Structure formats: structure tokens, C-alpha cells
Amino acid sequence: MTTETETLLRPGAAPLTRRRAGTAIPRLRSLGKHALLILFSVIMIYPLIWLLVSSLKPNADIFRDLSIFTTDLTVDNYVNGWNDLQHPFGLFLLNSTIIAFGAIIGNLLSCSMAAYAFARLKFRFRTLAFTLMLGSIMLPFQVILVPQFIIYKELGWLNTFLPLIAPKFLATEAFFVFLMVQFIRGLPKELFEAARIDGAGHFRSYFQITLPLIIPSLATTAIFTFIWSWGDFFGPLIYLRLPQLFPASLALKGFLDAQSSSNYGSMFAMSVVSLIPLFLVFLFGQRFLIKGAATSGIK
């Protein structure tokens, strides 16, 4: 008698068919869940797929055939779109890079210093200042737009990158300050006490202890700053008037003309090119996003 037969004949043992049916139901449920997830994922990325396919279609066929299944594909939109504007599109990508990296450096320095002060220093009205800082998150950008524009105009900063970069060096991004404060508060206090016993001041504790231990939150700040700065349209639209200073997000508007025909094919092609840096940053930085959010008290 085989082992399977003995199991079936053993008193109190469940029939084999019943056990197989019991394991089949969870598998079917898991298969159904995965099928739904795949379906919703396809629905969510369909606009991106349509954008990519449309960038490879002739300009006359983009809105005549909205299907993503086509055989008439061409790369002319990428070749033409790179040179169709007043300046090569590479210049606009370079401007976006300068603005994004300037904003990243500013946020990393200023927000980390402000976070260290709120988390480790004791000074009067610290709680009030921290509360006001958090309250600024709910302040709409349009409320301070006019005063900021007047200040930058008086400083002679219009048609420069300074209005888009300089505020980042003043810890104006309250969300990143809060993110780092939560991270620093989670560090062992014994590290800072030992450093103080060894004669380390606040600057040494900040540079040699705090910064190396909050790398996940710094990476999270850098990634979000890059994404927000790279895709910013409203800020450059307000402060920049010279075409040679336009970032990629603002230069894409140049393919649309209300008085003549618009070159949607070239615009879609350059939109795909502009999305590549964002895709690469998110692809290689997603593990830092997950780790930074999971260890900073934001659940």
C-alpha cells in the first residue's frame, strides 16, 4: 500500500480531492487579483503608450487614428522636433538640468540644516517656529506669487535662473524639512552625546554624524526635487521671457501655435525625450524613496 493510499485511509484524514479543491480556490483568487492589477496597470499607462506611439506617427495621422496599433511608424518627429524651435532642444534640456540640480543642492543643504536645528538644538520658540513651518505647507503658491515677483524684479533677477534656484537655499520646502526632522529624531541620542563628550560641536555632529546617517532621506529629497523642478511649468512661465533660457517643460509650448498649424508630432516626440530623465531617476531611485518614507515616521 502506497503512502498516499495510507493517508487517504487513515481515520480523520481529509479526502485528497477536497484538499486539492481547497488549495485551488486561493490560487484562483490570487490569479484574479493579479489579472485585475494588470488590467488597471494597462489602463493607467495607456496614455503614456499612446504618447509614445503617436510620437512615431506622421503628424497628419496622429488624431485621425487614435489606435496604438499601427505599422506606419517614422522617427522624423524626433529629428524635426530637435531642430524645429528657435534653438536646438538640447539647450532646453540643459536649462532644465541646471535648474533641477541647483534646486537639489539648495534643498539638500538648507533643509538638512534646518531639520538638524529643529531636531537637535534647543532654542526659544522652537515649537512655534516648527508649527509655522509646517503650516506653510498648506499655503497656496498663488498667495505669495505677486510679492515674490515684485521682490525678484527689484533685485533684477527676472530672466535668470535665480528665482527658481535661490529660494531653495533658504529651506522654503517645508515638506523636506519635516521629512528630515522625523529621520533625525529617530537616530540614537547616544551618538550625539558621545560626540559632545569627545568635544564635537554642532557643525561637526551635523557633517560627520547626521549627514551620513540620513542618506535615505537626502536621496528622497533629491529625487522629489528633481521631479518637481524638471516638470515645473508655472515658475519658468512667470520669471523667464528669453527663449534661450526656457527649460524643456516651457519649450514644449513652442510647438503649439494658435494662429497656424501646430506640430503635435514633434511636441509628442520631445515630450518622450523629456520624460526619459524622470523615468531613469525614478527607476534607479525608487528603493531610496521606499526606505526614506519607511524610516522617517511617514506611514
Side-chain angles (χ1 to χ4, degrees), residues 268-279:
F268 291 162
M270 293 302 99
S271 297
V272 173
V273 173
S274 301
L275 288 175
I276 292 177
L278 295 176
F279 175 77

Side-chain angles (χ1 to χ4, degrees), residues 3 7 64 87 91 94 131-132 140:
T3 305
T7 303
R64 185 172 59 185
H87 302 279
L91 176 63
L94 177 62
T131 303
L132 294 176

Side-chain angles (χ1 to χ4, degrees), residues 118 123-135:
F118 282 124
F123 52 90
R124 295 182 62 184
F125 307 113
R126 183 181 67 171
T127 303
L128 177 61
F130 188 70
T131 303
L132 294 176
M133 184 271 298
L134 291 180

